[in-house]
Amino acid sequence: MKIMAGNSNLPLARAIAGYLEVPLTDVSVRRFADEEIFVEIHENVRGEDVFVVQPTSFPVNDNLMELLICIDALRRASAKRITAVVPYFGYARQDRKPGPRTPISAKLVANLMTQAGADRVLSVDLHAGQIQGFFDIPTDNLYAAPVMAADVLTRYGGQELTVVSPDVGGVVRARALAKRLDNAPLAIVDKRRDKPGQSEVMNIIGDVSGRACILIDDIVDSGGTLCNAAQALLDQGAASVAAYITHGVLSGGAVARVDSSALKELVITDSILATEATDASNKIRVLTIAPLLGEAVRRIADESSVSSLFD
Ligand code: R5P
């Protein structure tokens, strides 16, 4: 097995390789003066089972293109099997037509990965599980819930917990976390979004009075959904609100918004490389999913069960 990394999250790729006790494949990913991407693999990969670690986070289009070119280089170098390890799958939110004459960009991205030569895809907390159906190659969608549940129990274990989904679409994810927290009760924020990047809380479904609320979501981008939900929960009498969100996209002024919000803390994973602003935040903490990804890679390579990781 070989682990190859693009440039989007080298620390994560190194940690996965460290877990598996294999060196990272010797590759250079460089830019021409006009920003064209050039990939050169400096070791033999003929007949190898290769895992390319490249979350397609900011800058999304550059990182996606880098992934596609890495896959193309591996295919032309006769790798036996190429797995795109994309812990954060950019464009996943565009998984349906929100209106007439709009694209389904997540499907386009799935087509691009497949056409480039990926044989499998490994991702974490896809925005919607159905995105797996956009691929006609095997996909594994891992869940950060076990990592999050362990942390919640360590930090908030003795308290009266309620798991909260910040929108109706996230209820399945929230229920899965609640199950790992001794079947904690659920609440749902009834969120409406008129424009991308702006959200407005309408209502809280469920009783949160006096409860330590754990908000769970797949993505925090502008932070609007999260900060509005936290305030609405406190307005309804919640004792405290902490958030566990897999992918810290944290665009624009999101970190400042979180820092000045009513949230006790925001816990994200290292699916996306943390920015300096994130590292400097006094409210944001990062959990690693490298062992989870490393173990999934090991099992894929050994052709053993990946789903049993979540039993
Ligand atoms: C939306 O359905 C997602 O699950 C997230 O709730 C959303 O992407 C968060 O975006 P923002 O932080 O910009 O409100």
Side-chain angles (χ1 to χ4, degrees), residues 2-6 8-9 12-13 16 20 50-56 67 71 82-89 113 118 120-124 140 142 271 289-290 292-294 296-297 300:
K2 284 195 182 280
I3 309 293
M4 186 167 131
S8 75
N9 196 341
L12 178 66
I16 294 170
L20 294 163
V50 188
F51 294 81
V52 190
V53 181
Q54 176 79 341
T56 49
L67 172 66
I71 294 171
I82 305 164
T83 301
V85 182
V86 190
Y88 171 68
F89 188 99
M113 289 183 191
R120 309 182 59 94
V121 172
L122 173 60
S123 192
V124 182
D140 288 294
L142 307 182
S271 67
I289 50 169
L292 178 71
L293 282 160
V297 166
I300 291 169

Side-chain angles (χ1 to χ4, degrees), residues 22-146:
V22 295
L24 276 183
T25 299
D26 187 7
V27 57
S28 25
V29 184
R30 296 196 304 271
R31 308 271 152 154
F32 291 167
D34 66 352
E35 291 292 304
E36 261 185 37
I37 296 161
F38 177 69
V39 170
E40 193 171 6
I41 303 166
H42 301 294
E43 60 188 82
N44 182 29
V45 293
R46 193 176 288 271
E48 295 280 0
D49 191 7
V50 188
F51 294 81
V52 190
V53 181
Q54 176 79 341
T56 49
S57 49
F58 177 86
V60 180
N61 301 323
D62 284 1
N63 284 330
L64 173 61
M65 198 64 201
E66 200 176 289
L67 172 66
L68 299 175
I69 293 175
C70 285
I71 294 171
D72 187 70
L74 285 166
R75 184 166 57 103
R76 292 175 196 282
S78 305
K80 183 182 72 192
R81 185 171 68 169
I82 305 164
T83 301
V85 182
V86 190
Y88 171 68
F89 188 99
Y91 283 100
R93 285 172 285 182
Q94 297 187 48
D95 59 355
R96 63 191 181 287
K97 287 182 70 169
R101 298 172 295 284
T102 53
I104 304 181
S105 306
K107 169 63 178 155
L108 172 64
V109 170
N111 286 349
L112 289 170
M113 289 183 191
T114 311
Q115 281 304 310
D119 297 297
R120 309 182 59 94
V121 172
L122 173 60
S123 192
V124 182
D125 282 328
L126 278 169
H127 179 59
Q130 301 89 302
I131 291 172
Q132 290 171 96
F134 290 178
F135 291 92
D136 283 329
I137 53 177
T139 58
D140 288 294
N141 180 27
L142 307 182
Y143 306 106

Side-chain angles (χ1 to χ4, degrees), residues 162-166 186-191 201-209 213 215 228-238 241:
T162 293
V163 176
V164 184
S165 172
L186 273 186
I188 303 165
V189 180
D190 173 27
K191 173 184 89 172
V201 173
M202 303 299 287
N203 227 331
I204 307 277
I205 303 165
D207 183 12
V208 295
S209 175
C213 292
L215 267 165
N228 289 346
Q231 192 54 56
L233 289 165
L234 291 170
D235 291 348
Q236 291 289 312
V241 184

Side-chain angles (χ1 to χ4, degrees), residues 88 93 96 127 166-167 169-170 173 191 193 196-199 216-228 245 249-251 254 257:
Y88 171 68
R93 285 172 285 182
R96 63 191 181 287
H127 179 59
D167 54 33
R173 190 175 295 113
K191 173 184 89 172
R193 192 190 285 278
Q198 283 179 15
S199 69
I216 175 165
D217 207 351
D218 59 330
I219 295 171
V220 49
D221 188 350
S222 67
T225 300
L226 185 60
C227 298
N228 289 346
I245 302 200
V249 175
L250 295 168
S251 308
R257 192 167 297 126

